[in-house]
Amino acid sequence: MNNEKIITMNDLKSNDPSYLETIFSIANGHFGVRASDPIASSDSAGTIVNGFYEMSEINYGEKAYGYAENNQTIVNLPDIRAIKIFDCDDQEFSRSELKSATLDMNTGLSTSIYDVFNPDNQAIELTLQAVLQQTDTHVLGLRYTIKAIDYTEKIKIIKHLDINNDTDETDDPRKSRVLHTVNYEKSEPDNFCEILTAKTQKSQMSIDLAICAQESLEKTVELNQMVSFDIIGLVGDINTKLEVVKTSFSEILADSKSFWHEFWHNSEVNISGDDGLNQAIHYNLFQLTSSTGRDGKTNIPAKGLSGTGYEGHYFWDTEMYMSPFFAYTNPEIARELILYRYSILSESKKRAQELGVAEGALFAWRTINGSEASAYYQAGTAQYHIDADISYAIDRYYKVTADTEFIKKYGFEIVLETARFWHSFGSYNKKGFCFFDVTGPDEYTAIVNNNYYTNRMAKFNMEFAVKLIDKFPDQAKKLGVTHDEYVSLSAAADKVYLPYSEEKQINEQDDSAFEKPIWPFEDTPKSNYPLLLHYHPLNIYRYQVNKQADTLLADFLFDDISRNQLKREYDYYEKITTHDSSLSRSIFSALAARIGLKKKAYGYFMDTVKTDLIDLQKNTADGLHVANLGGSWLTIVMGFGGISIQNSMLTIKNSLPDEWNGLSIRIRFQGRLLKIKYHHSETIIEILDGEPLDIIVDGGKKRIK
Ligand code: BGC
């Protein structure tokens, strides 16, 4: 048994029940189950199905043309874990105390042990083990084991699906809104199974949830020995009638074990010299993978399937923070994530038109079904960079997998349509090809001209389209590319204006960034962070203050400026960054590792890797910070491990932190499985599976066999 792949309550600082529900939640890309107390009802308990949302009209005080019309809110479905237990006098065991909780990442098993009391204060012990099938993602196994403590007589166990999802309304934009338009219908095919159908009135979706027992959903037993009660939970596909499958808890557990075994074989990360860190990074990779839709129709909600925060929406988080991990370890998942974007391409073309951009496609900033769900366009739709982020992820996937067929068939069209968007959206002036009134990744600066990150990414996007046109001329023709368009696209890519301050000798976040005063950090009490909860946006916008990495993210991705400039830039932007977004620290860490700022790299990493395990942002109860889970891998592999692809060659630069004895990672590269071991004195690469490969290792070319 590998203890670095086990999380227990003792590893955590907080015992808040809704926080623990998130931490010990499990998911399989299709649905997630929060680790709620099965006896005490909790508002935040529930089952979350990837992509199952209800719509409601966005009510604007003042509305303007083209504003997002509808909210899409992921539905918190009934808690599948809940159970009722009665004593021989029909009194309910209604009070419970959580004694221990464990998540085993070797097997996917989440175990919680409770002391449960009847009104006479007599206790029994209830152990709930929950595990999800990973191959057929509709299946959940629940095993309830009950032992006498000081109550030893008969008990009655009743298992039903109860509808109890009353959450409070909130002003916190990171939380989910309350839904009143989901209807439920129950049917019992027989005594062993109960099916609950949830139907949304506005989005017109339906989903079946079922619970099945071997004999009956109710049973009365003597408690003179340990009693076990297995339930199979089933969650159907959206708008599809559920097929009740017959399986057992042990079969589900075996399936889960073999999935995670294979997963770790391909994706292992091992830090020698720090067990706590190993545990944290394993947790992050486990939960990131659990959160990820793998069917080409769904994606990765910002909070995964561990909570309803951010309403279950998919953001740029996927492409820039999460899909790098999949591209390098489980490329078939990275492929499905791109296919999801492909599935919403035509919706995105319509959106470009709505914004008055004649050509191309604009992906929604936040969405489930492809249409824009961001009511606050200044930090939503205006983040046009999402188009280029998606193209960047396609390029990464292509480089890592060399999957030419896929790129030709799907990737190319996305890259072309997004490049067309930039081409049509931008305009020339004396500075070059410019993009006006955009918001970059930093949400504390909005609607500016020539955001450096956006412009740099748009340049990349158009250049990539030009490369693909060269590579697939027939396909380009089919997609309507003309010679004139090709020439014009290449010229625009070439002429994209990138703001640079001669005075500071660094890239400037946007045209007016350095003209603004710096935020009064000294006068800002700690309790006023995150700023977004304490200051009007306009107050924040008129200062130099960053929520998250912006220009530095471009530096990280392109590595196209001198080390000296990079150091100056890092130093400048670090001073004005609050890291109020959990997407920030991983980039600061990875970049610091690249520059050789070892202490900083390590410090930021320590925060990112444990963001949820220490509840750093104080809102893990609403769900995991999934971008950051991916970000911590990015920091290790691309920061400390120095992995990149340069001139089509895999490149490794060892920047092992002084605090570690060694680091070992596994990645896939063009059909091979590689194991890379970093020591302070050397870097050793092994090909575990596949053909020999030339790699640039710490500056020199090596043939690895
Ligand atoms: C960040 C965005 C991110 C969103 C969802 C916000 O706080 O500023 O960059 O996409 O959270 O994770």
Side-chain angles (χ1 to χ4, degrees):
M1 186 63 69
N2 181 346
N3 288 334
E4 290 149 14
K5 293 208 181 83
I6 293 179
I7 292 274
T8 71
M9 256 162 77
N10 301 337
D11 300 314
L12 307 168
K13 293 224 168 74
S14 163
N15 273 348
D16 171 66
S18 43
Y19 169 74
L20 296 178
E21 280 178 11
T22 300
I23 293 291
F24 292 101
S25 65
I26 51 173
N28 61 11
H30 176 45
F31 73 105
V33 180
R34 282 174 64 83
S36 52
D37 184 328
I39 297 292
S41 67
S42 136
D43 286 350
S44 51
T47 307
I48 298 163
V49 177
N50 200 352
F52 186 72
Y53 64 90
E54 172 58 320
M55 282 186 338
S56 55
E57 199 183 326
I58 303 179
N59 295 313
Y60 295 98
E62 279 177 54
K63 200 172 170 183
Y65 179 82
Y67 273 24
E69 300 273 342
N70 291 302
N71 297 302
Q72 299 158 38
T73 305
I74 198 139
V75 181
N76 195 25
L77 292 160
D79 176 17
I80 296 199
R81 289 166 57 105
I83 197 160
K84 286 192 185 302
I85 307 173
F86 297 87
D87 65 16
C88 55
D89 297 325
D90 235 10
Q91 303 187 100
E92 190 172 348
F93 283 89
S94 56
R95 188 168 70 79
S96 56
E97 276 170 19
L98 178 64
K99 286 205 303 195
S100 84
T102 314
L103 180 62
D104 185 343
M105 297 170 276
N106 298 291
T107 60
L109 185 68
S110 172
T111 306
S112 320
I113 306 178
Y114 306 84
D115 279 346
V116 184
F117 304 87
N118 67 6
D120 302 331
N121 244 357
Q122 294 170 304
I124 53 175
E125 184 191 84
L126 169 67
T127 301
L128 172 51
Q129 292 171 290
V131 65
L132 281 161
Q133 188 146 316
Q134 296 287 341
T135 46
D136 174 353
T137 54
H138 305 98
V139 186
L140 162 75
L142 295 171
R143 172 165 287 173
Y144 300 87
T145 306
I146 301 167
K147 256 183 12 192
I149 299 181
D150 47 26
Y151 177 86
T152 52
E153 293 170 54
K154 261 191 189 144
I155 53 163
K156 185 163 75 182
I157 311 170
I158 304 183
K159 177 76 190 166
H160 288 301
L161 282 169
D162 284 329
I163 305 143
N164 173 28
N165 280 319
D166 310 323
T167 6
D168 292 335
E169 304 276 355
T170 166
D171 285 339
D172 186 336
R174 300 166 301 179
K175 290 185 194 270
S176 196
R177 75 194 63 250
V178 180
L179 293 172
H180 302 288
T181 53
V182 183
N183 301 332
Y184 292 94
E185 272 168 33
K186 243 188 201 186
S187 62
E188 275 173 62
D190 47 46
N191 284 341
F192 316 137
C193 271
E194 180 177 286
I195 300 185
L196 186 71
T197 305
K199 286 193 177 146
T200 57
Q201 289 172 15
K202 302 274 163 49
S203 65
Q204 299 273 303
M205 287 183 155
S206 74
I207 194 133
D208 290 340
L209 262 64
I211 45 167
C212 299
Q214 231 172 7
E215 290 159 17
S216 160
L217 289 166
E218 296 192 13
K219 78 178 189 183
T220 303
V221 280
E222 291 289 346
L223 208 53
N224 47 14
Q225 57 184 37
M226 211 155 75
V227 173
S228 230
F229 191 41
D230 286 356
I231 294 289
I232 306 303
L234 299 166
V235 174
D237 286 320
I238 295 169
N239 297 346
T240 309
K241 198 168 157 36
L242 176 76
E243 275 183 43
V244 175
V245 289
K246 287 247 179 296
T247 181
S248 67
F249 183 85
S250 43
E251 275 171 356
I252 301 168
L253 182 58
D255 172 272
S256 176
K257 262 188 192 164
S258 97
F259 174 88
W260 290 111
H261 180 80
E262 172 74 10
F263 171 80
W264 292 118
H265 175 73
N266 290 326
S267 327
E268 186 65 77
V269 171
N270 239 301
I271 298 167
S272 48
D274 195 326
D275 292 353
L277 279 190
N278 257 333
Q279 185 193 44
I281 184 68
H282 291 150
Y283 180 76
N284 293 358
L285 300 183
F286 177 88
Q287 289 293 18
L288 170 60
T289 305
S290 302
S291 303
T292 301
R294 312 170 201 151
D295 57 2
K297 296 181 206 143
T298 54
N299 205 272
I300 319 176
K303 297 284 180 182
L305 300 168
S306 66
T308 54
Y310 283 125
E311 308 202 72
H313 291 170
Y314 316 133
F315 292 74
W316 74 309
D317 304 27
T318 296
E319 281 73 19
M320 302 321 279
Y321 290 82
M322 306 151 172
S323 79
F325 167 70
F326 294 114
Y328 277 99
T329 59
N330 297 271
E332 51 300 337
I333 298 182
R335 190 177 194 273
E336 297 299 324
L337 294 171
I338 298 171
L339 281 175
Y340 162 77
R341 292 296 186 189
Y342 189 80
S343 78
I344 58 168
L345 186 59
S346 55
E347 189 68 36
S348 312
K349 285 192 197 169
K350 277 193 235 145
R351 185 62 177 154
Q353 301 272 324
E354 270 167 13
L355 287 219
V357 178
E359 305 282 336
L362 175 62
F363 283 92
W365 173 244
R366 52 187 292 174
T367 190
I368 297 175
N369 66 11
S371 63
E372 181 63 272
S374 170
Y376 187 62
Y377 74 82
Q378 295 87 334
T381 309
Q383 294 203 50
Y384 299 99
H385 63 83
I386 188 166
D387 262 21
D389 302 331
I390 293 169
S391 289
Y392 191 92
I394 294 171
D395 180 50
R396 185 199 298 116
Y397 173 80
Y398 190 19
K399 285 183 174 144
V400 179
T401 62
D403 185 353
T404 307
E405 272 316 297
F406 178 77
I407 297 300
K408 187 173 167 193
K409 201 160 169 202
Y410 300 101
F412 182 17
E413 193 173 342
I414 302 179
V415 175
L416 181 67
E417 293 300 347
T418 47
R420 280 176 166 158
F421 176 85
W422 293 116
H423 183 230
S424 188
F425 173 60
S427 53
Y428 284 101
N429 70 11
K430 59 180 184 313
K431 291 176 173 168
F433 197 64
C434 296
F435 302 102
F436 297 111
D437 297 307
V438 308
T439 298
D442 162 35
E443 295 188 347
Y444 284 173
T445 310
I447 314 292
V448 289
N449 297 335
N450 294 315
N451 165 257
Y452 179 88
Y453 175 88
T454 306
N455 287 23
R456 184 65 189 85
M457 290 294 283
K459 179 179 172 67
F460 157 81
N461 195 159
M462 290 190 286
E463 283 169 353
F464 186 26
V466 169
K467 271 191 217 154
L468 294 180
I469 296 170
D470 287 338
K471 184 152 179 77
F472 306 117
D474 294 346
Q475 187 69 4
K477 228 181 186 174
K478 275 195 205 146
L479 295 170
V481 179
T482 61
H483 179 69
D484 284 356
E485 184 181 23
Y486 175 85
V487 171
S488 182
L489 202 57
S490 318
D494 200 41
K495 292 275 167 2
V496 168
Y497 168 66
L498 297 172
Y500 177 79
S501 158
E502 288 295 344
E503 188 203 330
K504 296 189 170 34
Q505 305 219 340
I506 59 174
N507 292 325
E508 184 165 1
Q509 187 165 324
D510 58 70
D511 278 355
S512 65
F514 296 158
E515 286 165 25
K516 296 176 183 172
I518 293 193
W519 177 265
F521 289 102
E522 322 74 55
D523 306 332
T524 310
K526 266 201 164 137
S527 54
N528 280 6
Y529 292 91
L531 301 182
L532 67 110
L533 296 184
H534 299 92
Y535 301 89
H536 190 284
L538 285 173
N539 190 351
I540 298 175
Y541 294 165
R542 60 176 186 263
Y543 289 95
Q544 286 188 60
V545 55
N546 288 6
K547 185 179 180 192
Q548 60 206 101
D550 192 292
T551 309
L552 292 183
L553 179 55
D555 295 341
F556 171 69
L557 298 175
F558 295 104
D559 203 7
D560 56 355
I561 56 176
S562 71
R563 279 291 176 266
N564 282 342
Q565 185 184 335
L566 186 55
K567 276 188 189 152
R568 282 194 298 275
E569 232 158 270
Y570 190 95
D571 194 42
Y572 189 85
Y573 287 110
E574 189 191 26
K575 290 198 180 84
I576 57 168
T577 303
T578 60
H579 308 292
D580 282 351
S581 159
S582 68
L583 278 64
S584 193
R585 288 184 177 84
S586 55
I587 302 303
F588 275 78
S589 175
L591 208 49
R594 192 182 288 166
I595 309 174
L597 301 170
K598 287 192 150 191
K599 284 228 140 34
K600 276 193 193 301
Y602 197 69
Y604 281 121
F605 174 71
M606 293 301 279
D607 287 339
T608 65
V609 74
K610 292 192 176 168
T611 294
D612 289 305
L613 293 178
I614 60 172
D615 201 8
L616 183 73
Q617 308 283 125
K618 300 198 170 49
N619 62 352
T620 292
D622 299 333
L624 297 163
H625 297 83
V626 185
N628 178 70
L629 304 181
S632 61
W633 180 88
L634 213 122
T635 303
I636 295 182
V637 172
M638 296 177 174
F640 301 132
I643 300 280
S644 63
I645 297 167
Q646 285 171 23
N647 304 321
S648 310
M649 284 188 73
L650 187 65
T651 305
I652 301 175
K653 187 178 166 293
N654 184 339
S655 299
L656 188 68
D658 295 339
E659 287 82 353
W660 299 350
N661 299 332
L663 165 70
S664 142
I665 61 169
R666 288 180 182 208
I667 56 167
R668 292 200 164 269
F669 187 74
Q670 300 186 351
R672 302 164 185 88
L673 177 61
L674 309 180
K675 181 172 180 177
I676 308 169
K677 285 203 230 162
Y678 300 85
H679 300 280
H680 288 292
S681 53
E682 58 177 346
T683 312
I684 302 169
I685 300 144
E686 237 181 287
I687 298 189
L688 300 179
D689 187 14
E691 302 293 306
L693 178 71
D694 286 337
I695 304 184
I696 307 287
V697 186
D698 298 325
K701 187 165 156 187
K702 271 193 187 169
R703 179 96 183 143
I704 312 292
K705 295 196 177 140

